[in-house]
Amino acid sequence: MPSVSVIVPVYNVEKYLEKCLNSLVNQTLKDIEIIIVNDGSSDGSEKIVKEYKKKYKNIIYVTKENGGLSSARNFGMVYATGEYIAFLDSDDYTDKTLYEKMYKKAKETNSDYVECDFYWKYKDHQKGDIGFRYKDKKEMFAKARVVAWNKLIKRDIIINNKLEFPMGLYYEDVEFFYKLLPHIKTFAFVEEPLIYYVQRETSIVNKQDRRTRQIFTVLDNVIEYYKKNNIYKEYEEEIEYTYSRLLLCSSLKRMLKVKDKLTRELLVKETWQNLNKK
């Protein structure tokens, strides 16, 4: 069993892919499997991956029809055999010590989950993102950074609880993270930025439209999950706070970037209605 399985969805990223793959094949942790999921790319991404697969035995390459980021991550998890699972987007890259430090921390602290800091990588500069060091799961609810790619997660927790990313929705990391959170018993931090989160003008976070309203669906899915598993009452205050924070902060900020005035006004109105209703 490998120590870590890293799942890398690939879709038309030939410009960035080599830097990402170089950072993975040169990891100081050698007991690692790299699962590359080609999500129906139409550019030169496949050619690049096949060249790396010839050179490195720990690369597992699988292909599928285009289905989006969630679909590719879920598809990759089927092939993961590592003790821990990590996700990395194919336009980002890592420090070569990332997974050795994350895995070492996980084993030293007997943790289900390890989080590290990262850099926002811009064309001409970068800035560090240092996370809040939460002390318990209720603080984690409010303070954790809800992204999948700066985490190391024990594979058994994901598999045993049948956790997946929601298909066809934005904010897939939000739904996955808050469904994962109740199952985490122990967690730890690597207090060092070791991932480079590359900012692209064409990325989803920089292009906003009516699909931003999918945050309502994602949060409803989370609430339904907690109620179905009889843990809603335990986390009711945290869920209410998170619902309000996401709608009034991150998603509202995105909605205000929608260029079409009518759509923008409808999204803001719908946000207000959901806040009052929930």
Side-chain angles (χ1 to χ4, degrees):
M1 176 192 294
S3 299
V4 175
S5 301
V6 184
I7 297 169
V8 187
V10 169
Y11 179 70
N12 291 351
V13 285
E14 60 181 357
K15 182 179 176 182
Y16 305 90
L17 188 53
E18 288 190 47
K19 195 160 193 175
C20 175
L21 295 181
N22 282 335
S23 74
L24 292 175
V25 298
N26 290 304
Q27 286 290 306
T28 54
L29 178 68
K30 298 307 178 185
D31 190 18
I32 182 176
E33 64 179 7
I34 303 163
I35 302 168
I36 302 172
V37 182
N38 184 350
D39 190 36
S41 295
S42 57
D43 67 352
S45 295
E46 181 170 54
K47 182 180 178 182
I48 294 169
V49 176
K50 285 184 174 180
E51 288 174 356
Y52 276 82
K53 181 169 173 53
K54 286 178 184 177
K55 296 178 183 177
Y56 300 97
K57 293 181 179 179
N58 62 338
I59 289 180
I60 298 168
Y61 178 51
V62 293
T63 63
K64 59 183 288 297
E65 292 184 359
N66 180 251
L69 180 60
S70 290
S71 173
R73 285 174 173 170
N74 294 339
F75 194 80
M77 282 195 282
V78 174
Y79 295 88
T81 62
E83 184 181 358
Y84 287 82
I85 286 178
F87 301 96
L88 185 68
D89 292 348
S90 50
D91 49 359
D92 298 334
Y93 59 99
T94 75
D95 184 282
K96 67 180 181 179
T97 65
L98 169 65
Y99 295 114
E100 181 181 10
K101 289 176 177 176
M102 296 272 273
Y103 183 72
K104 184 179 179 182
K105 177 65 72 171
K107 298 305 285 184
E108 286 176 350
T109 58
N110 191 30
S111 290
D112 298 329
Y113 163 111
V114 180
E115 177 179 332
C116 76
D117 296 319
F118 58 88
Y119 291 106
W120 292 75
K121 184 66 176 177
Y122 297 92
K123 188 175 181 180
D124 55 358
H125 71 285
Q126 65 187 33
K127 63 177 182 178
D129 194 305
I130 309 302
F132 181 85
R133 310 309 183 201
Y134 39 84
K135 299 177 184 66
D136 55 45
K137 282 204 288 186
K138 294 202 170 185
E139 267 195 353
M140 191 178 183
F141 232 103
K143 301 292 187 179
R145 289 166 296 188
V146 187
V147 294
W149 40 259
N150 74 330
K151 315 286 195 296
L152 197 66
I153 306 163
K154 192 168 281 186
R155 178 180 173 274
D156 285 351
I157 291 176
I158 295 174
I159 301 303
N160 292 344
N161 294 289
K162 300 179 180 178
L163 298 176
E164 291 187 330
F165 291 87
M167 300 285 282
L169 294 173
Y170 279 9
Y171 304 100
E172 62 280 325
D173 287 5
V174 172
E175 182 166 333
F176 180 82
F177 175 80
Y178 286 113
K179 287 183 176 180
L180 168 71
L181 193 155
H183 305 295
I184 296 168
K185 294 180 180 178
T186 51
F187 55 83
F189 302 94
V190 171
E191 299 186 20
E192 186 179 353
L194 295 169
I195 298 175
Y196 295 84
Y197 178 34
V198 176
Q199 301 302 294
R200 295 194 285 157
E201 290 183 3
T202 56
S203 67
I204 291 173
V205 296
N206 291 316
K207 294 176 69 177
Q208 304 303 329
D209 55 33
R210 186 165 176 78
R211 287 173 293 182
T212 308
R213 73 175 305 281
Q214 291 174 4
I215 187 63
F216 308 132
T217 302
V218 162
L219 290 175
D220 285 348
N221 290 346
V222 171
I223 291 170
E224 181 182 353
Y225 181 82
Y226 277 66
K227 289 181 175 179
K228 182 179 178 181
N229 288 278
N230 299 313
I231 52 176
Y232 181 79
K233 287 297 181 181
E234 182 181 353
Y235 294 100
E236 188 170 8
E237 289 186 0
E238 288 73 26
I239 291 171
E240 182 179 21
Y241 172 80
T242 299
Y243 191 98
S244 303
R245 178 174 62 85
L246 288 176
L247 261 59
L248 288 173
C249 298
S250 58
S251 71
L252 185 59
K253 183 179 179 182
R254 291 186 180 194
M255 289 172 180
L256 294 175
K257 291 181 180 179
V258 174
K259 292 182 179 180
D260 181 73
K261 184 175 184 291
L262 179 60
T263 301
R264 188 170 64 246
E265 289 177 350
L266 286 172
L267 289 170
V268 172
K269 182 179 180 181
E270 196 169 1
T271 296
W272 183 242
Q273 288 173 339
N274 274 280
L275 280 166
N276 281 282
K277 181 180 178 181
K278 298 293 170 65

